[in-house]
Amino acid sequence: MCMEQNRISVTIKALRKEYNLTQEDLAIKSGVGLRFLRELEQGKATVRLDKVNQVLNLFDKELNVCDKVKSL
């Protein structure tokens, strides 16, 4: 699992808990399937980014493309 995927999973799970939502609540409110949400939080390497943004939209967040930070 790549580091970015893990950060997405951890972030979504933390937001869900911060808002006191169960996985089922978040799936329903964001309009995605419960299976998708479970796989997303478990860090599945292949998830649809449009659906990730659908979940993040509930928290007024989204994924964007940005330049890589180059390490020295």
Side-chain angles (χ1 to χ4, degrees):
M1 172 188 332
C2 79
M3 185 181 213
E4 290 303 313
Q5 181 67 32
N6 190 28
R7 285 185 14 197
I8 293 167
S9 303
V10 169
T11 299
I12 289 175
K13 187 173 185 175
L15 285 167
R16 177 177 62 78
K17 289 185 175 197
E18 180 181 332
Y19 285 83
N20 296 315
L21 297 169
T22 65
Q23 286 181 329
E24 186 173 4
D25 291 337
L26 181 52
I28 291 167
K29 288 179 183 286
S30 62
V32 300
L34 181 57
R35 180 178 174 184
F36 172 82
L37 187 62
R38 286 182 176 153
E39 290 175 348
L40 176 60
E41 284 192 4
Q42 291 171 358
K44 182 179 177 189
T46 55
V47 292
R48 288 184 40 192
L49 292 181
D50 61 326
K51 288 191 173 219
V52 172
N53 273 328
Q54 196 173 332
V55 172
L56 288 171
N57 185 53
L58 192 68
F59 304 109
D60 292 324
K61 301 192 181 304
E62 67 181 13
L63 286 177
N64 289 302
V65 176
C66 60
D67 293 331
K68 281 186 166 184
V69 177
K70 295 185 180 188
S71 56
L72 301 173

